[in-house]
Amino acid sequence: MSDMDRNFLKKPINLYLSADHDCSYLPDRQANSLFVDPERELTAEIYSELIQQGFRRSGSYIYTPYCKKCQECTPVRLNVQNFLLSRSQKRCKNKNKLITIEEKSPLYDAEHYQMYADYVRSRHAGGGMDEPDDDKYLEFLTSKWSETAFFEMREEGQLLGVAVTDIVDDGLSAVYTFFNPADEYKSRSLGVFSVLWQVEEAQRRGLQWLYLGYWIKDCQKMSYKENYQPLEYYYNHSWHDAPLSLL
C-alpha cells in the first residue's frame, strides 16, 4: 500500500498493488495493476484529475497498469482540436452518414444488453468475457460517481451500436463500445465510426481531449489507437508527443 498526495486532492488517496496475474494482452507475461482504494469516496471531479495522470476506470474501480518488468501499456489521449481525418476514416464516415446518435442515461436497456452479449461472445471468445451476465453488465460499464453517457447509434430505427463514454473536465473518455457483430456490418467499421463521432462530440463541447485508454504496440487489439493523430502518450509522470519506445 502507498499514499498518493496530489495538490488537487483534499486528502491522500491510498493505492494498492495487485498480485501477479497473467497479462490479458501479451502472452507469457505477468501483470500488475495499481488501483485506488475501493473504500475511498470518489467523485467525477477526482476522476477528472486522475485520468490526467494515466488512470482509467473499470466499473467503479480506478486503476493503472504497474507491471514490475514491463511498460508496454501506455495511456493515450487524442487532441481533438488538431485531429485530421485520414482517407480511410473519411470513407468510414461516408459509409455511416445515415447513422443518428442519441444520448441515453446509463441505465439497463434490454436491447442494449442483448447487443452487448452478442458482441462479447463474437469478439472475445475464450477471453473470459464471452459469458456475459446481465447483473454485472452495468457494473462493468458504469459507476455511481462518474458522469457517463450511453451514445446510441441507430440507422432507420435499427440499433447498430452503443458508445459508453465518460465526460471529464477536459475531455471525453471512451470507456467501451459494442456494436452489431454480424458479418454484414464488418465493412462499416462501426468501432472506427464510434471513435470519430466521439472526436466530433468533444469538439462540439469545446473540449480538448478524447482519452482512448491504453496503447500497446505489440497487441493488435490495442495498437490501432495510433491511427488517430495527434496522439499523446503518458509516461514518466507527464504527457509526450511520442511513445517511450521511440526515444
Side-chain angles (χ1 to χ4, degrees):
M1 182 181 73
S2 63
D3 286 340
M4 182 181 71
D5 192 359
R6 305 289 189 188
N7 291 332
F8 55 77
L9 299 174
K10 293 181 180 179
K11 61 180 180 178
I13 285 183
N14 291 331
L15 300 178
Y16 296 86
L17 184 64
S18 73
D20 292 353
H21 58 273
D22 291 340
C23 180
S24 301
Y25 303 109
L26 298 173
D28 303 321
R29 298 203 192 189
Q30 292 291 291
N32 305 90
S33 296
L34 198 64
F35 60 95
V36 171
D37 181 359
E39 299 299 319
R40 172 65 188 264
E41 183 178 353
L42 297 169
T43 65
E45 290 74 22
I46 290 175
Y47 183 55
S48 290
E49 299 289 351
L50 289 172
I51 200 171
Q52 295 176 31
Q53 311 299 321
F55 284 79
R56 295 283 287 176
R57 76 166 182 87
S58 177
S60 294
Y61 293 95
I62 300 177
Y63 72 99
T64 190
Y66 201 78
C67 301
K68 299 172 183 176
K69 298 180 179 180
C70 179
Q71 293 181 301
E72 294 299 316
C73 293
T74 304
V76 290
R77 66 184 185 182
L78 174 65
N79 188 333
V80 302
Q81 300 301 330
N82 295 333
F83 175 66
L84 295 176
L85 289 162
S86 68
R87 290 184 180 180
S88 63
Q89 290 163 351
K90 289 179 181 178
R91 289 195 295 269
C92 176
K93 283 191 65 176
N94 188 57
K95 288 178 181 179
N96 296 293
K97 61 185 178 182
L98 297 181
I99 289 179
T100 59
I101 310 287
E102 184 174 355
E103 182 175 346
K104 298 289 186 178
S105 298
L107 303 173
Y108 182 85
D109 180 290
E111 187 180 19
H112 290 181
Y113 174 73
Q114 185 58 58
M115 180 166 288
Y116 168 81
D118 292 342
Y119 175 83
V120 297
R121 290 190 183 108
S122 172
R123 295 300 181 98
H124 301 291
M129 289 183 64
D130 54 347
E131 296 182 4
D133 183 330
D134 59 357
D135 290 331
K136 296 180 179 179
Y137 160 67
L138 288 181
E139 289 181 15
F140 168 53
L141 296 176
T142 67
S143 77
K144 294 180 180 180
W145 48 262
S146 61
E147 186 178 348
T148 304
F150 282 18
F151 291 109
E152 188 183 79
M153 300 181 282
R154 290 186 181 272
E155 186 174 273
E156 297 181 345
Q158 181 182 359
L159 181 67
L160 294 186
V162 176
V164 181
T165 308
D166 285 343
I167 296 91
V168 295
D169 286 350
D170 62 351
L172 300 180
S173 174
V175 177
Y176 197 79
T177 297
F178 54 93
F179 48 83
N180 192 320
D183 289 344
E184 63 186 287
Y185 293 109
K186 286 185 177 180
S187 66
R188 301 280 295 272
S189 300
L190 293 171
V192 175
F193 173 75
S194 171
V195 174
L196 299 178
W197 185 86
Q198 288 174 89
V199 168
E200 291 183 346
E201 181 63 12
Q203 292 170 340
R204 281 190 288 269
R205 292 172 182 245
L207 301 170
Q208 185 172 4
W209 306 106
L210 176 61
Y211 290 88
L212 292 173
Y214 297 107
W215 169 79
I216 306 173
K217 178 182 177 182
D218 295 324
C219 176
Q220 185 177 3
K221 290 183 179 180
M222 306 295 278
S223 63
Y224 75 91
K225 297 169 187 181
E226 278 191 321
N227 296 330
Y228 305 93
Q229 295 292 339
L231 207 60
E232 288 197 353
Y233 306 78
Y234 188 83
Y235 53 87
N236 296 337
H237 308 294
S238 62
W239 292 95
H240 302 266
D241 293 335
L244 181 62
S245 59
L246 295 182
L247 300 181

